[in-house]
Amino acid sequence: MAQKELSSSSITDGLATSFIGQKVIYHPRLPSTMDVARLEARQRTAEGTVIIAGEQTEGRGRMQRTWLSPSGNIALSIVLYPDIKSLSYLVMIASLAVAHSIETVTGLKTRIKWPNDILIGGKKVCGILIENEVKGNSVNYSIVGIGINVDLKASDITEISGMATSLKEELERSMLRAIIIRHILTEFERFYLLLPDGQSIFKAWQARLETLEKKVMVKSGGDILEGIAESVDESGVLMIRQPDGTLTKVVAGDVTLRHQ
Ligand code: BTN
């Protein structure tokens, strides 16, 4: 089945949320949804406004990487104005919303690789990028960017083959992007409305992390750490137990699972 064109109304019509996704701005082609979302946020667009691109020409990922999002995949950014205390939970909310939605719509089992990659069968199907503007103790805005490989033939792309997958590769059929996006927005709002109490969000995120208790290599800034991923705390920090017994906190980084 060929992918149908997305549109704003294919997302908003009958969407059962109170604010997330009630305003959707759709562009068939954009450099990055993050930039349009930032412009909207600076003009104080309604909280929950979603920018969707049919394809991105300059999609970006974490750690200054490029994110491939040709036509047929999901590329969206959500504009939020959270309290500073809620900021660390956005990573957890976004990954839980995507993981739950993929499972509900496709029946495929998902796991989360710390902090927020969504995996199917150990391969990455979704990446999440969060960009915040914070002044002192107040958050001007947060942009949550979500990219899902839906139609991508990851195995044909040298840079990501073996590490990434797509819903089409897993299911051998195309999925309607609008259905997945509507689920994500609904789930995102359900978790977001639990704030400022993040306990249950943290517990659910922790339970889905495939990284814990595994031997890992972590690239963080210029450093490389090897050890056992021992725990995470409620601010999302990962604790690595190194072979000499030292426990090191990792706030941001890239984790590779090592074979035991
Ligand atoms: C990562 O895993 O490195 C994060 C990837 C995030 C990609 C999404 S696609 C929608 C939004 N626009 C972007 O340019 N990036 C994010």
Side-chain angles (χ1 to χ4, degrees):
M1 179 174 51
Q3 280 279 349
K4 273 208 185 126
E5 265 313 301
L6 280 172
S7 63
S8 300
S9 61
S10 69
I11 306 301
T12 53
D13 283 358
L15 183 71
T17 59
S18 59
F19 64 106
I20 301 283
Q22 287 301 316
K23 178 175 173 189
V24 169
I25 302 171
Y26 173 74
H27 291 269
R29 191 180 159 100
L30 275 181
S32 166
T33 55
M34 300 304 279
D35 298 331
V36 177
R38 189 192 305 118
L39 291 175
E40 286 290 319
R42 288 192 172 148
Q43 290 166 23
R44 301 308 275 184
T45 187
E47 179 162 47
T49 295
V50 177
I51 317 302
I52 301 178
E55 65 179 297
Q56 294 185 122
T57 51
E58 288 167 41
R60 57 180 182 268
R62 292 171 64 237
M63 330 284 273
Q64 276 85 50
R65 281 190 296 246
T66 312
W67 180 261
L68 292 174
S69 45
S71 158
N73 297 289
I74 291 176
L76 66 87
S77 294
I78 308 172
V79 179
L80 300 166
Y81 307 110
D83 188 87
I84 190 108
K85 292 195 198 84
S86 300
L87 219 48
S88 58
Y89 295 108
L90 296 184
V91 160
M92 304 175 200
I93 292 174
S95 37
L96 284 169
V98 173
H100 281 198
S101 303
I102 290 179
E103 286 194 358
T104 310
V105 176
T106 67
L108 294 165
K109 184 128 189 47
T110 61
R111 297 287 283 163
I112 300 171
K113 184 172 80 138
W114 183 88
N116 55 11
D117 286 349
I118 310 302
L119 309 181
I120 296 177
K123 293 183 185 169
K124 179 162 168 172
V125 71
C126 165
I128 292 164
L129 175 68
I130 301 191
E131 294 179 347
N132 305 307
E133 190 177 274
V134 179
K135 238 196 203 135
N137 268 339
S138 77
V139 180
N140 285 348
Y141 58 80
S142 286
I143 312 287
V144 176
I146 297 174
I148 304 182
N149 301 334
V150 179
D151 245 4
L152 200 72
K153 191 113 180 49
S155 51
D156 282 354
I157 305 171
T158 325
E159 304 95 288
I160 57 171
S161 85
M163 295 182 300
T165 188
S166 67
L167 297 182
K168 190 173 181 182
E169 281 178 315
E170 297 297 325
L171 292 164
E172 290 169 358
R173 65 188 157 91
S174 292
M175 294 299 308
L176 278 184
R177 287 174 294 172
I179 297 175
I180 302 170
I181 294 172
R182 288 164 63 96
H183 267 84
I184 291 172
L185 301 179
T186 311
E187 284 290 281
F188 194 98
E189 181 172 291
R190 185 169 72 80
F191 285 113
Y192 193 70
L193 288 174
L194 297 172
L195 295 171
D197 180 7
Q199 261 290 313
S200 57
I201 298 168
F202 169 66
K203 289 254 152 65
W205 175 72
Q206 185 183 33
R208 271 184 188 262
L209 278 181
E210 71 137 27
T211 316
L212 292 183
E213 291 164 29
K214 302 258 169 66
K215 204 169 171 193
V216 294
M217 180 182 78
V218 186
K219 286 190 198 151
S220 176
D223 299 331
I224 296 188
L225 284 178
E226 291 214 39
I228 305 289
E230 201 167 271
S231 58
V232 278
D233 72 13
E234 219 174 305
S235 65
V237 166
L238 177 67
M239 305 298 292
I240 304 290
R241 180 75 66 185
Q242 289 172 268
D244 66 1
T246 330
L247 198 56
T248 307
K249 275 186 172 189
V250 185
V251 177
D254 227 7
V255 170
T256 312
L257 296 182
R258 313 293 278 169
H259 292 296
Q260 308 287 323

